[in-house]
């Protein structure tokens, strides 16, 4: 019986993480998904939030912010195909707060429903990113 699972986190730009892990937690659309070795296969969309990876053999948990994407789970492999993925240590709280401020200002100036939906989605992603930063800071 395998006690680890291979995890790949990939964005459009690069491979963010690839390695063996004891488990991974992914922000699924219906809530967080905890995945251990030999998990039942599934494919689902993920929402913006933190992917938490517990590496094999112990060590510090890795945190990766994803801005949505697709999760594929096989019994020995987990693949996260993220729209955008940022390693936890690369997250910048000041930059995220500034982007959130600009998006809130833009929201007050837009009139069309499509523009409003786009800005609200951006605000939601930024809120998830800030939550991931705070989670990382409190480890």
């Amino acid at each position: 019986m395998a006690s680890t699972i291979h995890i790949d986190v990939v964005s459009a730009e690069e491979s963010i993480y690839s390695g063996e892990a004891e488990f991974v937690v992914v922000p699924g659309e219906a809530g967080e998904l905890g995945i251990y070795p030999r998990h039942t296969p599934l494919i689902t969309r993920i929402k913006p939030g933190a992917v938490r990876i517990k590496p094999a053999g112990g060590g510090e948990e890795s945190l990766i912010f994803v801005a949505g994407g697709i999760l594929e789970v096989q019994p020995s492999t987990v693949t996260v195909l993220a729209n955008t993925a940022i390693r936890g240590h690369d997250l910048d709280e000041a930059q995220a707060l500034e982007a959130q401020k600009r998006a809130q200002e833009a929201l007050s100036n837009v009139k069309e429903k499509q523009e409003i939906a786009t800005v609200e989605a951006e605000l939601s992603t930024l809120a998830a990113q800030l939550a991931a930063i705070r989670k990382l800071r409190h480890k």
Side-chain angles (χ1 to χ4, degrees), residues 17-138:
Y17 182 96
S18 183
E20 296 298 310
E22 294 177 10
F23 70 88
V24 61
V25 178
V26 181
E29 284 192 320
E32 284 192 327
L33 298 164
I35 300 161
Y36 285 86
R38 301 183 58 172
H39 193 283
T40 302
L42 73 94
I43 295 177
T44 188
R45 292 189 310 201
I46 56 176
K47 66 180 185 175
V51 173
R52 298 187 340 255
I53 302 167
K54 179 66 173 171
E60 188 173 331
E61 188 175 270
S62 295
L63 185 137
I64 300 167
F65 173 77
V66 293
I70 301 291
L71 168 69
E72 179 187 14
V73 177
Q74 294 296 324
S76 61
T77 306
V78 173
T79 304
V80 176
L81 301 171
N83 298 338
T84 301
I86 305 169
R87 291 175 186 88
H89 62 272
D90 292 336
L91 291 169
D92 184 337
E93 185 173 19
Q95 186 178 18
L97 286 168
E98 181 61 32
Q100 186 179 44
K101 181 181 174 185
R102 285 192 310 269
Q104 288 170 335
E105 290 170 1
L107 185 60
S108 65
N109 296 325
V110 296
K111 303 290 187 247
E112 295 194 25
K113 288 182 181 180
Q114 179 63 38
E115 291 175 351
I116 292 170
T118 300
V119 174
E120 286 177 343
E122 182 180 348
L123 280 168
S124 176
T125 299
L126 289 166
Q129 185 175 353
L130 287 166
I133 291 168
R134 291 181 183 117
K135 186 181 290 186
L136 182 64
R137 202 175 343 146
H138 291 291

